[in-house]
Structure formats: structure tokens, C-alpha cells
Amino acid sequence: MEIPSKYEPNRVEEHWYAYWMKQGYFSSKPDEREPYTIVIPPPNVTGVLHMGHMLNNTIQDVLIRRARLLGKNACWVPGMDHASIATEAKVVNKLKEAGIDKADLTREEFLKHAWDWTNEYGGVILQQLKKLGCSCDWDRTKFTMDDDMSASVIKVFVDLYKKGLIYRGYRMVNWDPEAKTTLSDEEVIYEERQGTLYYLAYQIEGSDEKVTIATTRPETILGDTAICINPNDERYGHLKGKKAIVPICNRVIPIIEDEYVDIEFGTGCLKVTPAHDENDKNLGDKHDLEVIDIFNEDATLNSYGLHYQGKDRFVVRKEIAKELEENGFLVKTEQHTNKVGTSERTKAVIEPRLSDQWFLKMEGLAKPALEGVLKTGDIKLYPKKFENTYRHWMENIRDWNISRQLWWGQQIPAYYFGDSKDDFVVAETKEEALQKAQSKNPEIQVSDLRQDPDVLDTWFSSWLWPISVFGGILDPENEDVKYYYPTSDLVTGPDILFFWVARMIISGYEYQGKRPFENVYLTGLVRDKQRRKMSKQLGNSPDALKLIKDFGADGVRVGLLLSSAAGNDLMFDEALCQQGKNFANKIWNAFRLVKGWEIADLDQPEAAKTGIAWYTSKFNETLAEIEDHFSKYRISDALMAIYKLVWDDFCSWLLEIVKPAYQQPIDRRTYEAVIHLFEQNLKILHPFMPFLTEEVWQHMAPRTTENALMVSRWPQKEASDLALISDFDFASEVISGIRTIRKEKNIPQKEVLELFVLNSENKAGGMDSIITKLGNISQLEMVDSTLDGALSFRVKSNEYFIPMGGAIDIEAEIQKITDELNYTRGFLQSVQKKLSNERFVNNAPEKVVAMEKKKAADAEAKIETLEKSLANLE
């Protein structure tokens, strides 16, 4: 194959992804090998690729590709989440655009529209993941609304109900008035907001006295059914047993006593609105108060709102405040900061609402999941710091509200058959429900059964994901689940550690008796350079597909990982993608350089032999470092180690050491060794840059389908010669010293130099051939004393001398060294002054003092070298 002059990522990516797919490299079936399994955190069916997905899926692909190279049976299961709230909102909006109101449709008609929308627009994100290079087993793609997945959810609901863990209760719930559904406590995000505290006067019945009450929600006075005072509050003792009149609606309400009231807060008087506040509901239950709900499901006011009926709660808040003021009920207002609950999905302000809902008892279920992470270490979280967050949630777990007032999702399998709200049965099918109902009342017909209209929380399907994707709920003993479960690693964001990760752990222990995964790698959030969270509103979220087009998938993958560390938010900068692209070009150009050499049967030069031995050791040392990083899920550190190895050690050093002279051939032995080392580099780089590495690999030699890089083998760790690596590090400093002198004195690289060494370090001459070649040295000799009339530099305690020849202006050189010497002496003086200041030494941090001492020592060594250089020239 002809090697293109430039690396063309878009062409290469399309070609190799199609090739990998055609060869079936991504697919996995149970066999005798060790399985390595990842289940994808299923993105919403409504989703499109954003930076968070890019990071998360790049990390998963790195892990899965490495596992494949390690010879494991790697299985990465992709899929999508039906996302009840988000999808239903999309479908409702689409219907609105067509002039159709959801309320005018039957459930079946609406679900047909929802499925049409899903089939037309859903799954875009999975196609986009292919552009990133994700090597998922696409034949295993699952959707949480697939028939078997839904059947698994229903089976689990029925099972938990039979176990007495699912119950129906009339409770205060979190109501999302935009999505018109309840939310679990975990789906409510609390935000600090600046609001107003309204002080309102309530008339005491049968007197001119008024009592003042403070509230942030004046619109809810229309639902007040009591005023509460603390029995120990002497200010209000005379009000015991009296009644008050609610402003505007003129409802007469009792004044009750309860120690719940905080004497110090506000006025010490509390308005009680049992329908719209959980604490008020508890007071209402205790004192047998009337419950008056003033809101419709969309948070507009109902008939209890009087002349405000049909208006939004926030509009009413402004208007009722004005009416209260005009009628003398508004005493004063104050600015007030309070925490407001908002919907994670729609961002709407949550309304506490009383409602019949389904709940799952969590305390008993959570115990094995708590122990699996925090006691037995059965499951490990990376970074470990998230264990505290996990502990807090799991030790304070509340019953899970699992019902949602939506149509898109798994409909709750509860069937009602009588007038009482307790007349219901729970069953997997309508036929089974009929049998159960007839056992209570033989007269019942199938037409008498009314299925609960609510659906289950989306998380109630995705908590089963690692089991259900392998059919392990419907058939717990099937071959797939027995082979692939428990899965190996889970890569996700810390924001869903409780929503999803903890719940999967709970269901794993409950339904398989085992952990669902061994390791959980929690990525950070992707932020912009200004540390802001990426969002559509801020316009700071780059178009993921455009990034891939501009920088290549490998460039973007490298850019993301260079800026990422486990559990820490990453500051994304497109410049890092450019760095990734530059890295790809560097490797491509290195490959073209090597392939451009003519090969001949020659003796191997000493420098090449030494260089190859050094790089082999360096590679093995770095391989051990990389594997240590992988074992600790420091994926970015692993990439950085490879990046430095390939860019610095391979391209900048080894290729320069072995490169033949201009228009001269390279010896076969060196060439073959360089190709082998290049291939080793490609293997460890492949998980990070799959497209570029496969392209170079396939150009390197003729390959069969069995020999593709993607299905080759990860390099075996071998011993590395640490002394050889140390000797080379020393030699590289010598070469850098020679290059510095050439640069400073404008001596061309092609001009040969002599080098003399005062060898105080007793360094063996094993690297002399490399120093001679890269420094373009004609003569390298040991000397016993300093050399007069020579330029010098120092590496540790060794001194190196380059005789001047006639190419250098001695006077100018003396002036230059004198100036540098004067500057360094002045610098040393300022540091010594600081170190002689007792206050500084005693009060500054230890690190700062140590740094200053190092500066002084470095300056002293530099002065000594400069003085010797000056003496040699004078």
C-alpha cells in the first residue's frame, strides 16, 4: 500500500471502523476465555453526543480495547434509556406543533406517537458513538423499553410487592408541575435563591387584635387551615383556644399549639397549610386539620384560589402581595435567601403535593449494598473519596417513590376492580390479575379491571441494567448472565452515584446474590476553561461531531484524556485536541521517516545497538508504569506516560540515534528492531488512538484479518536495565549541553567538535557512541584537569570542554560570561538575604524555605562553573 504524505483522519476512521465491524471484532460470545464486561451507562433515547458522553465513552473504549489486547473476551454492551420525563416532554411538544393536545388522545394513541418519535429520532447518539471509535458489541444493543427489558421490570415489581417491599401510600411528594409527575427525593436539586419574606396580619376573630405571620409564599394563604404557636411562647399565651381569619378568603381557622414552632424564627407564629408543605402536613395529621389543595397539576390555582383561579402560582404571588398591601394585610417585606427545590429534568420549581403513590422500602434492601462497598470491599469506587458520599446516602436512605404520572414507560402492573382504593391486585399479566381478583370476588369480569395509569420511574428499569441486558431477570440461569455477570468495570459520573450506581448494587445483591460490577470509575464533569459547567444556555459546549471532524477522533480522545483525572472536573480546551492531532501527525511522520529508509546488509553501528537496548529497557519500564496506572484507574496518567515515551524517547531520541546518514542505507538488524519497537508502541497506544494505530500497523507489513492490531496481543512485561536507563539519562544531558553551546555560539550542527571530559562521576563509556553521533563529535577524550581556552558545561560533577577553535569571538564570550556571572551573584545575594531573615525562615512553609535553599545551592554551583569558564578563556 502506498503511504499517503499526510495523515487523513476522516478517511482513515471511516475505513477502519467499517473493516472492524465487517470482521466482527466487537462481538462477543461466551467461551473458555476470561470475560471482561462493561455495560454502557445508557444515554437518554432523546440525547445527542455531548462532551460528558465523549469523555465517559472514550474511557470505556480505552478499557475494553486494552482488555481485548490482553486476550480477554471483551464485551461492551451498548443501549439506551427510555427517559420517561424527557421523552414524553419531546413528544408532547411535537404534538403541540401539529396542533394536537395530549389530553385529547387515548393512552394507546399517545404511545403510538411516542414510539414513532423514538424510532425516527431515537438512537442518534449510538451512531455518533461509532464516530468516536467506540467498539461496542452492537448486536447486543438494548433499549429499556424492549419487550424483554419491560417484562424484567414488571417481574421485579411483582416480586418486590409479594415480598411486602412495595406499598401504596398517600404521601406528600415532590411534584414537577411542568412534567406533571412526581419525582423521587434524589431527582430534586436544591438551589439557593434570593426571595422575599412577606409579613402578613391575620385578624383574631371577635377582636381588633391582629397576629403577624412571616411567609415566603403568600399565594398559599388560600390553603391555610390553622395558625400554630409554641405553648411556651409567653407573647401569645392569650391566644390559646381562639380563632383567626385568613386574609382575602376570610376562612376562620383555629389557633393551635405545638412545640414544633421555633420561637426565634420570624414572628414565632406559623401559618399551617397541610396540602403544600410536608411539615405542615405532619402538624395537620397530629391536630386533625382540614387539607385544602389550592393548585392544579400544572401549579395554576384551582377554585380554592377564588378570583386567581387559572393563574400561575408565581403570577399570583405578585398579584396577591399587591392585594394584601392595598387591604392593609401586608405589614412589611424583607429580602430572604432560601433553598428552593427544582426538578433535575425540567428545572421547574417543585411543588409539595399530597398524592397516592407507589413506594419501595429501601432500608433492608440497602444493607448488603452498603456493606459491599464499605465493609467487604467487594466493590471499589475510584476515586475512593466518593465512599463518604455513598455512605451518607445509603445510611440516610428513604423509601423510593417509584410511580410517575406519565404514559411513556412501564405501566404499573396493579389492577383495580372495586370502589375502595384497596380493591386491587398486582400481577404480571391481565389474565393473572383476573384470577387473583376473582379469588376475592368471583363475579369480576376482565372488563372490570382498570390498570393503574401511572408508569414506573425510569431508574426502576435502569437499576436492573447489568442483569437485564443479559436476560438475567427472566432467566437467572441463562448462559450469558452466568458468563458475563458480574461485570468488570463501570464508568459513570458521580452525579448519578445514588440514582443509578447504588441502586444497581442493591438490585445486583437482591436478584443475583452478587455485586453487579467490581470497580466503579467516576469521571469528573467537563467544564470550560473558565471552570463553568458546559450547557446549551451558556453556549460553551462544543459540537462534539465538529471536534471529531476538525481534529480527528483520536485527537479528540487524546485531548479529553490529557485534561482529565478521575473524579476531578476537567477544564476542556480545544487546544488539547490540537495537541492530540499534533501527536497523531508526529507518529505518522515518524512512520513515514522509518519506511523511507533504504535497507542494506551492513554491520550494526554501536550507537544503534546501544540505543535499541536503551529504548527496549525504557519501554519495559514505562510499560510497568502504565500497568500500575491502569490498576489504579489513572487512565490519563497512563496516556501521559505513553505520550512522553513515544514523542520524547522514541521520536526525539531513538530515531535520531539510529537514523542513517543523508542518502545512506540503514542496516537490516537495526531496521527490524526499530519496526518491532514501533509495533510495541502501537499496541500500547491503540486503546487511546485506535484509528491512527491501525492505519500505521496495516501499512507497516502485509496483515491478514487475524493479524489486525485490534486483535493482536498487549506486550509482555520484561525486565528493564535500570543502569542502562540511568546512563542514557546522563548522556542525554551531555548531548543537551553540546546542543546548547552550538545554539548559543551559532555553531552549525554539521560542524564537527571535539569533546573532553573531566570524569569525576566515573561514568563508563557505554554511551560514548551515542554522544559522538548526536553531538557530531570527532574526538571524545578523558582528561585529568581543566582545559584552557575551551567552552565548558557541567553535568552533575562531570565537566565537559569544547575547544574554541577560531569560530568564536573570545572578547564577546568573556563579556557574556561576566554579565551572566554578575547577574547570578546578585541573584544569590537576594536569596541569601531572604534566608538570613529569621522571621521568613521561621514563618514560611517548609516547602518554600527548602525551595529558597535549593535556589541558593543551584546559584552557587552555576557561579563556580561560570568562574571556571571565565578562567579558561582569560
Side-chain angles (χ1 to χ4, degrees), residues 753-815:
L753 299 173
E754 294 177 337
L755 184 67
F756 296 91
V757 190
L758 189 57
N759 190 10
S760 308
E761 288 280 326
N762 290 318
K763 277 285 172 189
M767 292 289 162
D768 287 358
S769 59
I770 289 175
I771 294 169
T772 300
K773 178 171 182 182
L774 296 187
N776 195 9
I777 302 298
S778 61
Q779 182 185 358
L780 197 163
E781 275 186 33
M782 303 292 171
V783 291
D784 298 328
S785 59
T786 59
L787 221 63
D788 292 339
L791 294 168
S792 67
F793 62 91
R794 182 187 285 267
V795 177
K796 294 189 179 166
S797 61
N798 267 15
E799 271 192 90
Y800 293 83
F801 304 96
I802 297 173
M804 297 292 293
I808 294 163
D809 182 341
I810 300 236
E811 290 302 317
E813 193 59 31
I814 288 172
Q815 186 59 52

Side-chain angles (χ1 to χ4, degrees), residues 670-696:
T670 299
Y671 178 79
E672 287 172 357
V674 169
I675 289 292
H676 169 70
L677 291 169
F678 210 141
E679 288 182 338
Q680 296 288 81
N681 291 342
L682 294 176
K683 287 175 182 178
I684 60 173
L685 193 55
H686 176 76
F688 299 94
M689 304 179 83
F691 295 111
L692 166 84
T693 52
E694 188 73 77
E695 174 78 353
V696 173

Side-chain angles (χ1 to χ4, degrees), residues 52 238 252 292 588 605 618 828 852:
H238 64 288
V252 176
I292 298 173
W588 184 254
K618 186 69 183 176
L828 176 61
E852 292 301 317

Side-chain angles (χ1 to χ4, degrees), residues 352-579:
R353 193 179 196 209
L354 284 164
S355 175
D356 274 315
Q357 300 291 336
W358 293 90
F359 294 88
L360 173 59
K361 293 178 186 175
M362 295 298 283
E363 195 177 348
L365 285 171
K367 277 179 183 164
L370 187 65
E371 288 175 5
V373 173
L374 300 172
K375 284 190 182 173
T376 64
D378 201 22
I379 298 162
K380 295 173 186 68
L381 304 185
Y382 295 89
K384 198 174 168 61
K385 67 179 181 182
F386 286 109
E387 285 182 5
N388 289 333
T389 312
Y390 184 86
R391 180 192 300 278
H392 175 75
W393 276 332
M394 297 299 271
E395 287 180 348
N396 296 283
I397 201 162
R398 296 173 66 176
D399 288 359
W400 177 9
N401 171 8
I402 55 173
S403 47
R404 297 291 178 270
Q405 288 61 56
L406 300 164
W407 281 351
W408 176 245
Q410 284 92 14
Q411 193 172 352
I412 289 173
Y415 297 84
Y416 299 88
F417 55 82
D419 297 327
S420 165
K421 65 178 185 178
D422 295 324
D423 288 342
F424 69 85
V425 292
V426 169
E428 288 183 47
T429 63
K430 204 165 192 175
E431 293 71 30
E432 196 184 324
L434 182 62
Q435 286 177 7
K436 287 186 174 183
Q438 285 175 339
S439 70
K440 295 184 178 187
N441 179 352
E443 308 281 305
I444 287 169
Q445 302 297 311
V446 72
S447 56
D448 298 324
L449 296 178
R450 303 179 311 281
Q451 189 172 353
D452 194 305
D454 290 355
V455 297
L456 287 156
D457 180 8
T458 303
W459 295 110
F460 194 84
S461 58
S462 53
W463 79 320
L464 306 173
W465 187 249
I467 309 172
S468 59
V469 295
F470 297 116
I473 297 292
L474 300 180
D475 182 3
E477 293 298 309
N478 81 73
E479 185 188 19
D480 270 9
V481 81
K482 284 175 80 173
Y483 180 75
Y484 293 114
Y485 188 95
T487 68
S488 309
D489 294 330
L490 179 78
V491 182
T492 188
D495 51 328
I496 53 173
L497 179 56
F498 183 79
F499 283 129
W500 191 46
V501 180
R503 287 169 176 165
M504 282 191 288
I505 296 170
I506 290 169
S507 73
Y509 284 119
E510 180 68 15
Y511 284 101
Q512 281 287 321
K514 299 175 196 166
R515 65 188 179 200
F517 26 71
E518 186 177 353
N519 305 293
V520 180
Y521 176 97
L522 296 154
T523 66
L525 290 172
V526 185
R527 298 183 181 274
D528 65 13
K529 285 186 288 185
Q530 294 164 257
R531 296 184 169 270
R532 299 177 303 175
K533 191 174 176 182
M534 289 189 169
S535 68
K536 285 180 189 171
Q537 288 85 350
L538 288 173
N540 62 347
S541 186
D543 179 335
L545 292 181
K546 187 175 184 302
L547 285 177
I548 291 172
K549 192 178 174 196
D550 292 347
F551 300 106
D554 291 333
V556 175
R557 288 164 70 116
V558 168
L560 275 164
L561 289 176
L562 286 178
S563 54
S564 167
N568 295 324
D569 291 353
L570 71 95
M571 308 313 136
F572 179 73
D573 184 350
E574 280 192 23
L576 291 161
C577 292
Q578 184 62 53
Q579 190 178 340

Side-chain angles (χ1 to χ4, degrees), residues 157-167 359-361 399:
F157 182 97
V158 173
D159 176 66
L160 292 169
Y161 179 77
K162 282 178 185 171
K163 289 172 178 171
L165 295 173
I166 285 179
Y167 64 92
F359 294 88
L360 173 59
K361 293 178 186 175
D399 288 359

Side-chain angles (χ1 to χ4, degrees), residues 858-870:
D858 290 347
E860 284 165 351
K862 190 173 181 183
I863 287 166
E864 188 187 346
T865 303
L866 289 169
E867 284 173 341
K868 283 184 179 175
S869 295
L870 202 56

